[in-house]
């Protein structure tokens, strides 16, 4: 009888435990990205210079750099960008590096940008602009998803204020 009850509890408990673990991973990765945005904004104001966060393929390179052909899921770097070109150049300081997200997670820029955004620049005033081949954006949306689970939507406006919401439907 004890074995049967234990089997029933495991059958019910394992899917719930898997859900809990995945939800925690989504929250952790969301917080990592939002933290990078907040750090970039704070450093831009503190240093009185532009600070950029850009897509990077940090998992396949020993020296991080901006990789426009990559996607945000592959990782990102935060660096000082006095020239405002949106790419890491000699003499610019790397402030933070984030490696690729766990397998199965995606982080997509999907709103407010034309053809996706390669980097976000924070101005010394704290204002943000996206850079897509030089076209600035005033606000945007990122979506962090794991297929079959409720992801998070990360919205931010021109002053860099971030709002995180849980998605109503599961990601596909």
């Amino acid at each position: 009888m004890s074995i049967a009850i234990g089997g029933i509890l495991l059958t019910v408990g394992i899917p719930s435990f898997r859900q809990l673990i995945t939800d925690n991973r989504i929250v952790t990765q969301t917080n990592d990205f939002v933290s990078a945005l907040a750090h970039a904004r704070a450093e831009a104001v503190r240093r009185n210079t532009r600070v950029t966060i850009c897509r990077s393929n940090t998992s396949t390179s020993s020296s991080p750099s901006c990789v426009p052909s990559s996607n945000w899921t592959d990782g990102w770097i935060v660096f000082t960008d006095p020239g405002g070109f949106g790419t890491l150049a000699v003499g610019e300081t790397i402030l933070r590096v984030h490696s690729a997200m766990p397998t199965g997670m995606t982080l997509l820029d999907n709103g407010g940008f034309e053809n996706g955004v390669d980097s976000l620049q924070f101005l010394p005033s704290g204002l943000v602009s996206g850079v897509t081949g030089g076209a600035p954006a005033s606000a945007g949306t990122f979506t962090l998803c794991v297929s079959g689970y409720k992801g998070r939507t990360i919205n931010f406006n021109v002053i860099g204020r971030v709002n995180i919401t849980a998605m109503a439907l599961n990601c596909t």
Side-chain angles (χ1 to χ4, degrees), residues 45 69 76 86 123 142:
V45 172
S69 62
W76 56 84
L123 307 175
F142 286 83

Side-chain angles (χ1 to χ4, degrees), residues 14 19 39 48 62 65 67 84 112 158:
I14 289 177
Q19 174 79 33
H39 181 68
N48 196 32
S62 59
S65 64
V67 182
V158 69

Side-chain angles (χ1 to χ4, degrees), residues 44-80:
V45 172
R46 187 177 77 80
R47 294 172 184 255
N48 196 32
T49 191
R50 289 177 189 250
V51 173
T52 296
I53 178 172
C54 71
R55 297 187 282 188
S56 178
N57 197 342
T58 57
S59 61
T60 60
S61 174
S62 59
S63 60
S65 64
C66 296
V67 182
S69 62
S70 178
N71 64 52
W72 290 97
T73 305
D74 293 334
W76 56 84
I77 56 174
V78 178
F79 60 95
T80 60

